[in-house]
Amino acid sequence: MTEFLQIDFPALICGTLAALVCALVGNFLVLTRQSMFGDAVGHVVFPGIVIAYLLAGTTAIWVMLAGAGTAALVTALLVEFLRRIAGVDPSTALGAVFTAMFALGVVLLEQSGLAGTSFDVHHILYGNVEAAIWPAATGPASLFNMDTLSQLPAQIGRLMIGLGLVTATILLLFKELRIVCFDPVFAATIGLRPKLVGAVITALAALAAVVSLEAVGVILVVAMMVCPPATARLLTDDLRMQVVISAVVAIASGILGYGVAAFLPSALGFDLSLGAAGTIAVVAGLFQLAAMLAGPKRRPARVA
Amino acid sequence: MAADGVLAPSRSDVQSADAMRSPPVAVHNLSVAYGGVPALIDVTWTSPPSGLVAIVGPNGAGKSTLLKAMLGLVPAASGEALIHGEKIERQYGRVAYVPQRSSVDWDFPATALDVVAMGLYRRIGWLRPVRRADRERARGYLETVGLSDLADRQIGALSGGQQQRVFIARALAQESSLYLLDEPFAGVDATTERIMTNVFRKLRADGALVICVHHDLGSVPEIFDHVLLLNRHVIAAGPVVTDFTPALIAKTYGVPLEPLGQAKAAPDDV
C-alpha cells in the first residue's frame, strides 16, 4: 500500500489529470475542426517553455505559462502573416510554423545543457508520468495529512490549477463557447465577440498543453485533446453531455492506461516497462474505436 | 397564442425616439472591396420604415455583401451603413440576422431548441447560463414556425426547410423590429415557404422591416412589397409595383431588353 501511494498514486493522478484537462479543452477544438491546432499548440509551447526557463531559471507555472503563451501568440501571428502576406494556405502555414518552432525548441534544449534534467527531449516528446513520486507517503493516513499532502509532486499542483481554470472558464462561458463554435457570424451580429472567445479557446489549449506536458508529452497532448471529445461526440448529440462524457472517457483512459502500463507486464510475466503516457493514449484511442464501431450517433459518410 | 406575443415589436423599439426618427437602414455612398475587387460601388439606399424588401440581382452582384456591410461583418472601403441612424456597434441586438443555411456546421451537437435559444443570448447576457424559462420561451418561437414536435431533434437530422425555420425562429427570438435574411427561400419546401411568408406578413403587420436577399424573381411580387435591384451599383429601389419592371430587371441582370420568351441570353439563375 505504501509503495502504491509513493509510486503509483502520484503518477496515476498526474496522467489522469493531464488527460482530463486536455479533453475538456479539446471539445471546443474538435467542434471548430481545429484538432490539428491542438497538436500545433502542444508543439509550440515547448520552445516557449525552454526559453522561459533559460531566462527565468525556474519552472514556476506562471513563468512556464508566460513562455508558452508568448510562443502561442508568436505562432498565431506567424501563421496569419504567412497566410495574408505570402498567400500560403492556412494548414500549410500552421504546419510550417509549428514544426519550425518545435525544432527551435529542440536546438535550444540541446545547446542549453538542460538535457538530462526533467527537460530531457525524450520526456518532452513522450511524457514521463512515472517521474511523479511521493516519497513522503507512509500509508493511507498520508492522504489526510496536510503536511505530507503538501509534499505531493508540484506537477499535481500545476495540473490542479490548470484544471480549475479550464473548468471555471467552460462553466462561465459555456453559452458563448457554444454559439461561437456553432455560428461565429451570428455571434458577431449579437455583439458576442467571436474573436475574443476564439482567443480564449486558444489560451485554454495552451494552458492545457503546458500543465500536461510533463505527464504526457507534446506528441500525446493531441491524443488527449482529440480522442475523448471525439469519442463523446459519437455517444451524444448534446454539447453539455459531450463535455461530461469526454471527461469520463479521459478519466477512464488515465486510470486504465496507467494500470496497463504499471501492472499488465508483470501480471503477464513479461519483464518490460511500458510508458504510461503511451498506454493512456492507446486506451483513449481504443475508446474512440469502440465508439466509432458502435456509438449511437455515428453518421454514415456523406456521398458528395 | 405564443405567436401573438412573439411577433409584437419589443417595447424598447416602440419607445425609442431614434427608431421613430431614423429609417431602420440607411446606406450612404457605401463601397466594399474583397482583395481589391469591388463588390459594392457607391451604394446609397434608404429603407422604408417597415415592410418586406427583396434585394435582387445576379450572382456576384454583392447582395450578401450588402447585408454583411449593414451588420458590420465586412469593412466598408468608403461610405457607411447606419441602423436606426447609428453605427451597428450601438445597435447589436436590435437587428436579427439569418445567415445562409450553408454557413454553419449542421453536424454540431445541438438540438433545434438549443439553436433557437441562441436568439436569446444577447438578452441573457455574458457569463449567464440559459435557464429553463429561456428554453420555454425558445419553445414558443419553434411553435410559431411549426416545429414544436422537433424541438429536441439534432439539427443535422432536420430537412433543409426545417433547418431554415429553426433559423427563422432564432431570429424571432431576438424580438427585433429589423430582420436581415440571406436567401431564406433558397431550396426550401412548399410548407416552409408558406410558413415563412406568413411569419414575414405578421412581422410587417406589427410594423417590422424584413429585408431578404432573394434569388427567385418569379415570387418577388407575391411575397415582397419593396425591391432593391442591385448589381454592385444600385440599379433601382422602391415599391415592387413601380420599380420591379421588366426594363429595370433586364438592366440589373445585364441582358438586352427583349420581349419575354426571346431572352435566351439570360443567366441561369434569372
Side-chain angles (χ1 to χ4, degrees):
Chain A
M1 185 63 195
T2 303
E3 190 188 304
F4 173 82
L5 280 175
Q6 287 180 338
I7 294 170
D8 295 309
F9 175 71
L12 179 65
I13 295 291
C14 281
T16 304
L17 285 176
L20 180 58
V21 69
C22 288
L24 287 173
V25 178
N27 279 290
F28 301 97
L29 295 175
V30 169
L31 283 177
T32 48
R33 317 217 151 166
Q34 296 186 91
S35 300
M36 291 324 289
F37 183 75
D39 197 21
V41 164
H43 281 77
V44 301
V45 300
F46 170 51
I49 288 178
V50 173
I51 292 171
Y53 177 78
L54 291 175
L55 291 177
T58 160
T59 54
I61 185 167
W62 304 114
V63 173
M64 300 289 97
L65 275 177
T70 309
L73 189 67
V74 167
T75 306
L77 290 175
L78 279 175
V79 168
E80 200 61 16
F81 175 80
L82 287 176
R83 202 174 65 76
R84 288 207 186 164
I85 311 295
V88 178
D89 159 71
S91 60
T92 309
L94 191 63
V97 171
F98 91 74
T99 46
M101 295 275 287
F102 184 70
L104 173 70
V106 173
V107 171
L108 283 173
L109 186 67
E110 287 177 344
Q111 296 307 313
S112 68
L114 282 171
T117 68
S118 67
F119 271 98
D120 185 84
V121 171
H122 191 263
H123 291 160
I124 294 282
L125 284 176
Y126 305 116
N128 188 12
V129 172
E130 291 79 1
I133 51 171
W134 192 25
T138 51
S142 301
L143 288 170
F144 306 98
N145 182 329
M146 282 316 288
D147 193 41
T148 39
L149 278 179
S150 70
Q151 293 177 60
L152 272 167
Q155 199 187 136
I156 291 181
R158 290 195 283 274
L159 280 162
M160 296 288 271
I161 293 172
L163 180 63
L165 286 172
V166 166
T167 308
T169 309
I170 291 175
L171 285 176
L172 272 176
L173 284 176
F174 189 77
K175 121 180 156 299
E176 285 77 9
L177 289 166
R178 162 150 58 190
I179 194 169
V180 166
C181 291
F182 173 64
D183 195 347
V185 173
F186 178 80
T189 67
I190 60 171
L192 272 180
R193 314 280 307 272
K195 286 202 173 131
L196 180 67
V197 177
V200 168
I201 297 176
T202 306
L204 291 182
L207 173 66
V210 170
V211 296
S212 51
L213 198 60
E214 280 172 273
V216 294
V218 291
I219 293 179
L220 297 178
V221 160
V222 67
M224 293 299 114
M225 284 184 177
V226 173
C227 289
T231 304
R233 179 64 191 93
L234 293 168
L235 301 178
T236 177
D237 279 331
D238 180 88
L239 182 56
R240 270 177 306 183
M241 271 321 279
Q242 181 189 314
V243 174
V244 171
I245 294 174
S246 74
V248 172
V249 170
I251 292 169
S253 302
I255 295 172
L256 283 174
Y258 185 80
V260 166
F263 306 114
L264 193 66
S266 58
L268 294 178
F270 291 112
D271 183 24
L272 58 85
S273 69
L274 288 171
T279 52
I280 291 171
V282 168
V283 170
L286 289 175
F287 274 121
Q288 188 172 356
L289 183 66
M292 288 193 297
L293 293 176
K297 305 298 179 187
R298 286 170 301 142
R299 270 176 241 296
R302 300 250 160 90
V303 180
Chain B
M1 184 202 143
D4 291 340
V6 162
L7 296 181
S10 68
R11 281 164 298 277
S12 62
D13 285 330
V14 173
Q15 287 168 356
S16 165
D18 273 342
M20 299 299 205
R21 274 201 310 272
S22 307
V25 179
V27 182
H28 301 294
N29 306 106
L30 178 76
S31 295
V32 174
Y34 291 120
V37 182
L40 290 173
I41 303 164
D42 200 28
V43 170
T44 294
W45 177 65
T46 303
S47 74
S50 69
L52 307 181
V53 181
I55 301 178
V56 172
N59 285 337
K63 305 181 296 284
S64 297
T65 303
L66 180 56
L67 278 199
K68 288 181 177 157
M70 291 172 185
L71 289 156
L73 296 172
V74 295
S78 62
E80 61 180 354
L82 298 177
I83 303 295
H84 298 297
E86 292 187 305
K87 292 206 176 295
I88 178 71
E89 288 78 9
R90 295 178 57 92
Q91 292 288 329
Y92 282 140
R94 296 198 40 204
V95 189
Y97 173 56
V98 176
Q100 284 188 22
R101 212 165 66 237
S102 58
S103 68
V104 303
D105 171 14
W106 292 95
D107 282 339
F108 196 87
T111 62
L113 190 65
D114 289 333
V115 174
V116 176
M118 290 176 187
L120 300 167
Y121 279 13
R122 182 171 177 85
R123 221 166 325 145
I124 296 169
W126 278 91
L127 308 182
R128 292 162 182 275
V130 178
R131 296 187 185 285
R132 183 182 298 271
D134 300 317
R135 294 177 68 78
E136 285 315 307
R137 204 178 172 120
R139 213 175 277 279
Y141 299 104
L142 267 179
E143 199 180 319
T144 307
V145 297
L147 289 179
S148 6
D149 295 346
L150 302 178
D152 298 318
R153 185 168 292 190
Q154 196 269 333
I155 49 175
L158 300 170
S159 74
Q162 290 164 343
Q163 291 174 344
Q164 188 65 56
R165 279 187 267 159
V166 168
F167 266 5
I168 299 289
R170 179 176 72 174
L172 291 175
Q174 293 181 262
E175 293 196 351
S176 172
S177 59
L178 173 58
Y179 296 79
L180 305 181
L181 303 94
D182 204 343
E183 304 238 14
F185 290 96
V188 302
D189 53 283
T191 308
T192 299
E193 190 170 324
R194 182 173 47 76
I195 290 174
M196 284 202 299
T197 307
N198 287 340
V199 166
F200 293 167
R201 286 184 180 144
K202 187 83 171 68
L203 286 169
R204 174 175 59 191
D206 290 333
L209 177 66
V210 179
I211 302 175
C212 297
V213 169
H214 195 63
H215 65 291
D216 176 21
L217 291 178
S219 62
V220 167
E222 171 195 334
I223 302 174
F224 298 95
D225 46 52
H226 279 71
V227 69
L228 169 59
L229 293 168
L230 187 74
N231 192 347
R232 289 195 272 182
H233 305 267
V234 175
I235 308 296
V240 167
V241 283
T242 58
D243 288 85
F244 194 63
T245 63
L248 288 170
I249 295 166
K251 196 177 167 197
T252 307
Y253 284 82
V255 293
L257 180 59
E258 288 176 53
L260 283 173
Q262 288 181 27
K264 287 178 190 142
D268 290 344
D269 62 335
V270 173

